[in-house]
Amino acid sequence: MTAAAKGSVENHVFEADVAKLLHLMVHSVYSDKDVFLRELISNAADACEKLRYEAIENPALLGTDPQAKIALTLDEEGKRLIVEDNGIGMGREELVEALGTIARSGTKAFMERIEAAQKEKEGGAAGAQLIGQFGVGFYSAFMVAERIDVATRRAGASDAFLWSSDGKGSYTVAAIDPSEAPARGTRITLHLLDDAKQYTSKWTVEKIVKDQSGHVPVPITIIDKPGEEARQIADGSALWTKSKGDISKQDYAEFYRGVSGQYDDPALTVHFRAEGRHEYTALAFVPGSRPFDLFDPDRKGRMKLYVKRVFITDDADLMPRYLRFVRGLVDTADLPLNVSREMIQESPILGAIRKGVTNRVLKDIEKLAENEPETFATVWETFGTVLKEGIYEDFERRQQILSLSRFRTTTSGEGVRSLADYVKDMKDGQQAIYYITGDNAQQILASPQLEGFRAKGVEVLLLTDPVDSFWVTAVPDFDGKAFKSVTQGGADLATIGGADEAETKPVEATPAVTDFVTFAKGVLSDAVSDVRVSDRLRESAVCLVAPEHGPDRHLEKILQGAGRLSETAKPVLEVNPAHDLVKALAGRPDDQDLKTDAAHLLLDQARILDGDKPADPKAFAERLSRLFDRALKA
């Protein structure tokens, strides 16, 4: 760094290539300009924390003003925004070192001093809770200011100095009359650009402070115009730092509404402090109603990340996407207030925090299910569809989420049941958890594939959410019982005991029916992979099932509709040997034309029962007309 004295004014050239770095700061590092105010407030809080630490050994530094504070002054006429604190302040050398280079941090140097002192002095005061990197975040203010003036006086000193720069490569440092600087601390004056006048609006500034810095450990006041009385907009306390015993249910509810934008009460509050390898505090809420953005395509979470009570981002992926309905925050001292909200996501510490918070939220949801089943039932009804995404996406917690999951079944009526309940009530000889997928419960309850299971009293899960068709293919089992679709492969009903074997046992095919099935298999070979006698049908004549391997019928439709399946597997046509229509057709062995038309019409009937259309509507209509004609002539 070079300096040339001109009276009491020193001209300096930045050590680093400031123009290049400032371009990076303004155009690449920060996602929005509002962040500059968060940075300046965090620096001010940093300075107050430094003073608090040094005052432990030198109380005289506090003078007659021991209460830390940050004040914002809005000057619309002068196009100025002033940020002032009564923290530690800076001397000449500290001012040059802290603001003379973007690559160096006053906070970092201070922390090194603390660490060295702690090594020399066992049992000394705990390290200061510092926020930010002054020399980095400070320069974000040039996104909105054409010039910045920094007037400062160090605590306990009588000299005051003014730092000034337009951020284009140089700055000046000058001694000033102490009356032009704070009695202690730093006053930063931003001379705003023409397109940044909104930062003199009390509504704009107050909203930014409450959203991004409302929980720093120093009270914040705002002065709407120079000369007016200051009013407090942040009290310097953070709800999540308090003991749970000191927080009322109403306090939690009000905070939840503020952090989530919801107007209801939370169904579940999760508040804890983690200590050990990583230290952080989490305050999370399961909403009482569905947030409007729950099914946004980006599936982003809305948990906020704070570092030492300074808001960093609400885009840090603190929870897996299947818990995106959870609202709240995490506050940690283990992360630095980095140069960007984007870069902070790369920290391995954040990954550890994410794991810890996710585990605790799921654990507390489990407790809710056990201790408050009615409340949990509401949570499941509201968010179960989203939570089940975790069965497919989160292998580590798959069994835990399966245990939490609730399902409507063929025996549950309008209620829901857990998989543990299902397994407990399985029939003798039943080896699988049976399910059927579809668009809605009423539709799939009418599926012919359910007839044999219903006759034997075998419970079947009714899976109607799109994600259901995916997770059942990824999960091998629950409690040792495999998941099996009733619309795929064999039904295996013969091995399962029923209430009345005589009534539930399927009818065996007569030789004539067997011959008709063989005939139909030959006629329909281009459309189906097999035609076989069914043990799952009781009332219907036919149904379609998927082959043993591959996706079931409903998943095929989903994949094909999404353009992810170019062609589907040929289905299997199952025939009910006890149905009057099938027996009548089997009794016409010599009427080849009738049996051919009937085989195609039975296949189209099965398609319609499956929610599909006939493959060839014209051919279907012609065959139906021929059948009507034969019947009328007869």
Side-chain angles (χ1 to χ4, degrees):
M1 182 180 297
T2 63
K6 292 185 180 179
S8 60
V9 178
E10 294 178 0
N11 293 310
H12 297 258
V13 176
F14 290 106
E15 255 184 15
D17 186 345
V18 176
K20 183 177 180 180
L21 288 175
L22 281 177
H23 180 82
L24 174 66
M25 292 289 292
V26 174
H27 297 288
S28 301
V29 175
Y30 290 105
S31 302
D32 58 79
K33 292 183 178 181
D34 292 352
V35 74
F36 85 90
L37 189 54
R38 180 197 78 188
E39 297 290 344
L40 295 185
I41 290 174
S42 69
N43 291 339
D46 183 353
C48 292
E49 288 291 278
K50 286 182 180 180
L51 175 63
R52 181 191 64 79
Y53 182 84
E54 292 197 8
I56 294 173
E57 295 188 359
N58 185 7
L61 292 176
L62 297 175
T64 59
D65 185 20
Q67 178 60 51
K69 55 181 176 286
I70 299 170
L72 310 177
T73 302
L74 312 179
D75 181 5
E76 186 175 3
E77 291 185 5
K79 291 197 308 181
R80 298 185 306 160
L81 172 61
I82 302 169
V83 180
E84 183 171 339
D85 68 73
N86 64 345
I88 192 66
M90 290 175 282
R92 182 192 296 269
E93 289 74 19
E94 290 172 307
L95 191 61
V96 170
E97 183 173 348
L99 301 185
T101 172
I102 293 178
R104 185 174 301 169
S105 165
T107 295
K108 182 179 178 182
F110 182 69
M111 287 299 294
E112 289 173 353
R113 277 177 47 200
I114 291 176
E115 291 171 356
Q118 286 178 331
K119 289 179 181 179
E120 296 175 4
K121 184 179 180 181
E122 291 294 325
Q129 297 301 304
L130 303 175
I131 303 172
Q133 298 180 343
F134 195 91
V136 179
F138 168 80
Y139 277 91
S140 65
F142 281 107
M143 292 189 294
V144 300
E146 61 184 8
R147 190 176 89 252
I148 300 176
D149 297 325
V150 180
T152 184
R153 181 178 357 188
R154 203 182 200 286
S158 57
D159 296 335
F161 300 92
L162 176 69
W163 181 98
S164 184
S165 177
D166 60 5
K168 295 179 179 177
S170 64
Y171 62 93
T172 62
V173 177
I176 57 175
D177 190 287
S179 63
E180 298 177 16
R184 178 189 76 229
T186 302
R187 179 188 302 129
I188 301 174
T189 302
L190 308 184
H191 300 271
L192 298 169
L193 295 163
D194 289 337
D195 63 357
K197 292 179 182 178
Q198 70 268 27
Y199 297 110
T200 61
S201 163
K202 64 180 181 180
W203 311 111
T204 300
V205 172
E206 190 168 343
K207 184 178 186 304
I208 294 171
V209 171
K210 288 183 176 179
D211 288 348
Q212 300 192 8
S213 302
H215 306 288
V216 294
V218 181
I220 302 173
T221 60
I222 190 169
I223 301 170
D224 296 335
K225 291 182 180 179
E228 289 191 359
E229 289 292 320
R231 56 187 178 85
Q232 191 175 86
I233 57 174
D235 64 6
S237 66
L239 184 77
W240 62 86
T241 63
K242 299 178 181 179
S243 169
K244 289 195 288 186
D246 296 331
I247 305 173
S248 69
K249 185 176 180 180
Q250 184 61 29
D251 290 335
Y252 277 128
E254 290 177 356
F255 185 84
Y256 155 75
R257 295 184 192 111
V259 77
S260 68
Q262 300 275 105
Y263 296 95
D264 55 0
D265 289 331
L268 175 66
T269 299
V270 181
H271 186 191
F272 70 98
R273 176 170 177 78
E275 296 179 339
R277 184 175 182 182
H278 300 296
E279 295 188 1
Y280 58 90
T281 298
L283 179 52
F285 303 92
V286 174
S289 60
R290 182 175 293 178
F292 72 93
D293 56 358
L294 185 63
F295 292 105
D296 279 0
D298 62 6
R299 299 170 65 225
K300 286 287 187 180
R302 297 294 183 268
M303 287 283 287
K304 300 178 184 292
L305 175 65
Y306 285 76
V307 172
K308 302 163 191 172
R309 296 207 288 185
V310 175
F311 174 74
I312 303 300
T313 180
D314 56 6
D315 194 30
D317 290 333
L318 287 167
M319 303 283 279
R321 291 184 175 184
Y322 63 85
L323 288 175
R324 60 184 177 275
F325 54 87
V326 177
R327 300 296 193 258
L329 57 88
V330 171
D331 185 6
T332 180
D334 290 351
L335 289 169
L337 185 66
N338 220 333
V339 291
S340 76
R341 290 177 293 181
E342 291 80 5
M343 289 175 61
I344 206 165
Q345 297 188 49
E346 300 175 4
S347 169
I349 296 174
L350 193 68
I353 291 174
R354 183 180 189 266
K355 181 177 181 179
V357 175
T358 300
N359 288 341
R360 180 58 181 267
V361 168
L362 286 175
K363 182 179 179 181
D364 280 18
I365 293 177
E366 284 180 326
K367 290 180 180 178
L368 184 71
E370 181 179 348
N371 301 325
E372 300 180 49
E374 291 185 2
T375 302
F376 175 76
T378 301
V379 169
W380 181 259
E381 182 179 358
T382 308
F383 302 114
T385 299
V386 176
L387 192 56
K388 282 189 292 185
E389 294 172 8
I391 304 174
Y392 184 74
E393 297 175 346
D394 193 340
F395 176 81
E396 180 182 351
R397 302 177 182 89
R398 177 174 290 164
Q399 292 299 318
Q400 184 180 17
I401 301 171
L402 277 171
S403 296
L404 279 172
S405 298
R406 301 292 186 267
F407 303 95
R408 189 175 171 189
T409 76
T410 51
T411 63
S412 68
E414 295 298 321
V416 292
R417 300 199 354 121
S418 70
L419 290 175
D421 290 335
Y422 181 103
V423 171
K424 178 170 62 69
D425 294 337
M426 285 173 60
K427 297 292 183 181
D428 292 340
Q430 183 180 345
Q431 299 299 319
I433 298 172
Y434 292 101
Y435 69 88
I436 183 171
T437 56
D439 294 328
N440 64 76
Q442 293 304 316
Q443 180 185 32
I444 57 181
L445 275 170
S447 298
Q449 293 92 338
L450 286 175
E451 293 171 358
F453 295 90
R454 188 180 289 115
K456 285 215 169 188
V458 176
E459 189 174 20
V460 178
L461 306 181
L462 307 177
L463 306 182
T464 57
D465 293 320
V467 69
D468 291 328
S469 293
F470 293 92
W471 70 256
V472 289
T473 65
V475 178
D477 64 79
F478 176 81
D479 197 18
K481 306 298 182 181
F483 289 91
K484 183 171 178 59
S485 171
V486 302
T487 66
Q488 183 174 25
D492 302 328
L493 285 170
T495 63
I496 301 175
D500 187 330
E501 287 296 319
E503 293 182 6
T504 61
K505 187 177 181 180
V507 176
E508 293 186 5
T510 64
V513 169
T514 301
D515 290 343
F516 174 72
V517 168
T518 302
F519 174 82
K521 182 176 180 179
V523 170
L524 302 175
S525 59
D526 289 339
V528 298
S529 61
D530 193 13
V531 180
R532 67 190 181 204
V533 172
S534 177
D535 66 346
R536 80 186 82 211
L537 292 172
R538 294 297 184 271
E539 294 88 29
S540 302
V542 288
C543 72
L544 288 175
V545 296
E548 188 71 43
H549 303 289
D552 76 356
R553 297 279 295 154
H554 189 65
L555 180 56
E556 271 194 341
K557 295 175 186 177
I558 292 176
L559 295 175
Q560 194 170 35
R564 295 172 58 185
L565 198 64
S566 57
E567 60 181 36
T568 59
K570 291 181 180 180
V572 175
L573 179 66
E574 289 196 349
V575 177
N576 180 359
H579 198 278
D580 289 343
L581 176 60
V582 174
K583 289 191 292 185
L585 289 169
R588 307 287 291 271
D590 299 326
D591 199 337
Q592 300 295 310
D593 292 340
L594 172 63
K595 290 199 300 181
T596 299
D597 280 347
H600 283 286
L601 287 171
L602 286 173
L603 175 58
D604 283 334
Q605 179 182 332
R607 288 188 176 119
I608 293 170
L609 286 170
D610 224 27
D612 293 333
K613 299 176 182 179
D616 186 341
K618 184 174 183 293
F620 171 77
E622 290 174 347
R623 292 185 184 108
L624 197 58
S625 296
R626 286 197 294 269
L627 196 62
F628 283 154
D629 185 59
R630 290 174 66 101
L632 291 171
K633 287 179 178 179

